[in-house]
Amino acid sequence: MPTTSRPASDLRLPGGGAAVTISVDGSPVVAREGEPILAALWAAGIRALHTTAQREEPRAFFCGIGICFDCLVTIDGESNLRACMTPVAPGMSIETQRDPGWQGFAHA
Amino acid sequence: MREPDVVVVGGGPAGIGAALAAAESGQSVVLVDEHERPAGQYFKGPDGSSKGSQRIQHLRAELARLGVDVVSRGLVWGIFEGRDVMVVHDGASEHLRPSAIVLATGAYDRPVPFAGWTLPGVMTAGAAQTLVKAYAVLPGRKVVLAGAGPFLLPVATQLAEAGAEVMLVEATPARAWLGLAPAAARVPELVREGLGYARALRRLGVTRLSRHKLVRAEGAETVERAVIAKVDGDWRALPGSERSLDVDAVAIGYGFLPSVELAESCGCALRFDDDAQAWFVAVGESMETSVPRVYAAGEITGIAGNVVSFWEGRVAGASAAGNEELATEARKQLGPRHRFARALGHAFRPRPGLWEGTADDVVVCRCEEVTAGEIRTRIAGGCASPKALKDWTRAGMGLCQGRMCGSTIGRLLAEGTEKPLVEVPRGSVRPPVKPVPIHVLAGTEVPS
Ligand SMILES: Cc1cc2nc3c(=O)[nH]c(=O)nc-3n(C[C@H](O)[C@H](O)[C@H](O)COP(=O)(O)OP(=O)(O)OC[C@H]3O[C@@H](n4cnc5c(N)ncnc54)[C@H](O)[C@@H]3O)c2cc1C
């Protein structure tokens, strides 16, 4: 079964907030206000949210609840943010990212 | 700095129960939770007319009525000296010094590495549920949901009801369910819920395979195939029994691991649970931890579901407030439910075939991309602790702070050093327990 050429709205179920447009890698994507960016990107058929630093592998989310840090995207210029924990707002600009590493965060 | 009577960390059923019981006892309460509003994993999702939704709307109204100060989108990143609670909220740090703390930080799906588990479209059962239930987005049209345990039933039902074609692949035999009968007699509401899912799965035409597991996921840019195989009683794949299924999503659920990091960093003693093969926060009758005036409730003290979490929360909140009568009342709700939870935990406990034989080329640490082979080589070379492995391989050093690889690293250490998991040293946990932007920490005076 082809998975990449699926029409964008295929995975959407009824419900959710008002339709708003955000930009993903420079292209407009219709999202629902207040949903996590992850939901908008996944529903739009975008699969590789980021590419890993070493093996250059495509990655999306794994846990969906803020634990795994594998849904990292760049939001309005700030990199390494979790798409699952950041709600959509009108006019937001999202970029899928090539992982820059983890500078900018404090670590245990 | 604010000095409320009680700070509750986590806004799931346990945290809500604790906040309510403390507030009912006349305490001033601050409830901190990472999400947009209190709900936790069981109650997440938009307002609606379902029983669950009605219940959480009622609980939120109760929090408001009793004057609980709810700090949503707040992260507790550290607790110092068992009393100084550090919160990041709206990009700023806040310091709370309560006279008691209730930890109710919940759980997450047990990560189990296998070939292809890093492909987009491969996710935890909890992630699949979150997408469909909380965000109204299908993870895929054709989904293999594989694992073991009761949580698979609601997830399969919710996916199928939303229109996905679901195959449910369970490692346990069908009779695992029958063995629960004795403990189930005293929890009729849970039995009804389980039977309801079983009926729904039949009605929705979900294919159910027992004694099978997912052995790998395949695809180029996203998952395209799930390969499953028959397993023996120890969940070891039987040679020659593999078959490949076309899918556009794969979800795995082998139970939950507790989010004990904050409790551990604050000095609370843990206990090892043999069935779950995991460490939980140790608590006494009143849900107090080994650190005086620090209480714990919900899944971090044992995986037992949302109802038990709520009542444990009430015991903790009432005890923190010194309200013995209310605590005793709440405790009455726990006995049979605890026994049933233990029976479930035993029936669906992970068997050795789940983690044996993780191939050397499988990535274990997803953040730093460290493979099982690299970790095994270091262990053979003398690394005997998570700390040593972190120093030598970077495994566990990424943004998830070891939550995704920690349990597997423990396993590999047990295997390589020929010790039971309970004797393998744990990685050290220090604040911040989740990544916090450096500019937030920069302006913060850490209490000492
Ligand atoms: C993905 C998932 C789906 C689940 N679905 C079901 C289900 O359908 N049915 C069922 O019976 N059980 C389900 N469970 C089990 C479920 O965890 C419990 O039944 C119940 O929700 C546990 O309640 P809790 O209060 O202990 O934890 P949770 O409900 O997990 O709540 C913990 C809360 O604490 C917050 N938190 C954690 N750390 C911090 C911190 N440092 N600072 C601030 N906030 C923090 C979390 O964000 C979360 O909101 C699910 C579990 C998971 C992980």
Side-chain angles (χ1 to χ4, degrees), chain A residues 63 65 85, chain B residues 9-16 32-35 37-44 74-78 104-109 124-127 129-130 133 151 154-155 158 193 197 256 259 262 297-300 303-307 309-310 433-434:
Chain A
C63 82
I65 61 165
M85 294 295 280
Chain B
V9 188
I16 294 171
V32 186
D33 183 72
E34 281 175 284
H35 293 273
R37 53 187 190 164
Q41 291 306 331
Y42 183 72
F43 290 118
K44 69 199 164 198
L75 171 74
V76 173
W77 60 263
T105 48
Y108 54 95
D109 292 81
T124 64
Q129 184 199 46
T130 304
K133 180 175 165 192
F151 179 53
V155 179
Q158 287 153 359
E193 190 184 337
Y197 291 131
F256 299 107
S259 292
L262 189 61
E299 307 287 64
I300 54 170
I303 303 298
N306 73 90
V307 177
S309 295
F310 177 77
V433 297
K434 276 197 186 173

Side-chain angles (χ1 to χ4, degrees), chain B residues 90-140:
Chain B
D90 287 341
S93 194
E94 191 187 359
H95 178 181
L96 302 169
R97 181 176 286 172
S99 60
I101 298 170
V102 180
L103 302 172
T105 48
Y108 54 95
D109 292 81
R110 180 194 300 277
V112 177
F114 53 86
W117 78 309
T118 56
L119 271 174
V122 177
M123 64 194 78
T124 64
Q129 184 199 46
T130 304
L131 272 187
V132 68
K133 180 175 165 192
Y135 310 147
V137 172
L138 276 178

Side-chain angles (χ1 to χ4, degrees), chain B residues 362-422:
Chain B
V362 169
V363 165
V364 166
C365 169
R366 298 171 65 102
C367 300
E368 297 294 329
E369 306 179 78
V370 186
T371 62
E374 289 168 74
I375 294 169
R376 286 196 179 105
T377 304
R378 288 298 175 185
I379 295 172
C383 285
S385 69
K387 167 82 173 67
L389 286 168
K390 191 173 180 176
D391 290 347
W392 284 95
T393 69
R394 302 186 59 83
M397 205 177 257
L399 285 173
C400 87
Q401 298 181 283
R403 286 171 177 85
M404 290 295 111
C405 65
S407 57
T408 307
I409 287 175
R411 271 280 140 212
L412 292 171
L413 278 166
E415 185 186 288
T417 58
E418 292 172 22
K419 279 185 188 162
L421 186 58
V422 61

Side-chain angles (χ1 to χ4, degrees), chain A residues 1-4 6 9-16 32 34-36 38-40 42-43 47-49 52-70 72 78 80 82 84-85 87 99 101-102 104-108, chain B residues 34-36 41 107-108 117-118 120-124 126-127 130-132 135-142 162 221-224 246-248 252 361 363 366-369 371 390 394 397-401 403-404 430 432 434-438 441:
Chain A
M1 147 173 40
T3 47
T4 42
R6 182 198 305 115
S9 59
D10 203 7
L11 298 175
R12 280 275 187 210
L13 303 168
R32 289 166 180 160
E35 72 182 351
L38 172 64
W42 198 254
R47 290 296 169 265
L49 303 187
T52 58
Q54 336 262 325
R55 303 169 138 233
E56 304 187 11
E57 282 177 357
R59 290 279 182 90
F61 63 99
F62 184 64
C63 82
I65 61 165
I67 308 277
C68 74
F69 285 77
D70 225 342
L72 301 177
E78 194 176 338
N80 273 357
R82 287 171 292 175
C84 74
M85 294 295 280
D99 289 349
W102 42 269
F105 285 89
H107 268 261
Chain B
E34 281 175 284
H35 293 273
E36 293 294 306
Q41 291 306 331
Y108 54 95
W117 78 309
T118 56
V122 177
M123 64 194 78
T124 64
T130 304
L131 272 187
V132 68
Y135 310 147
V137 172
L138 276 178
R141 284 270 154 210
K142 226 177 152 182
E221 294 295 298
T222 176
V223 64
E224 295 163 38
D246 286 345
V247 295
D248 58 357
I252 58 149
D361 61 351
V363 165
R366 298 171 65 102
C367 300
E368 297 294 329
E369 306 179 78
T371 62
K390 191 173 180 176
R394 302 186 59 83
M397 205 177 257
L399 285 173
C400 87
Q401 298 181 283
R403 286 171 177 85
M404 290 295 111
R430 274 189 299 270
K434 276 197 186 173
V436 170
I438 228 130
L441 292 189

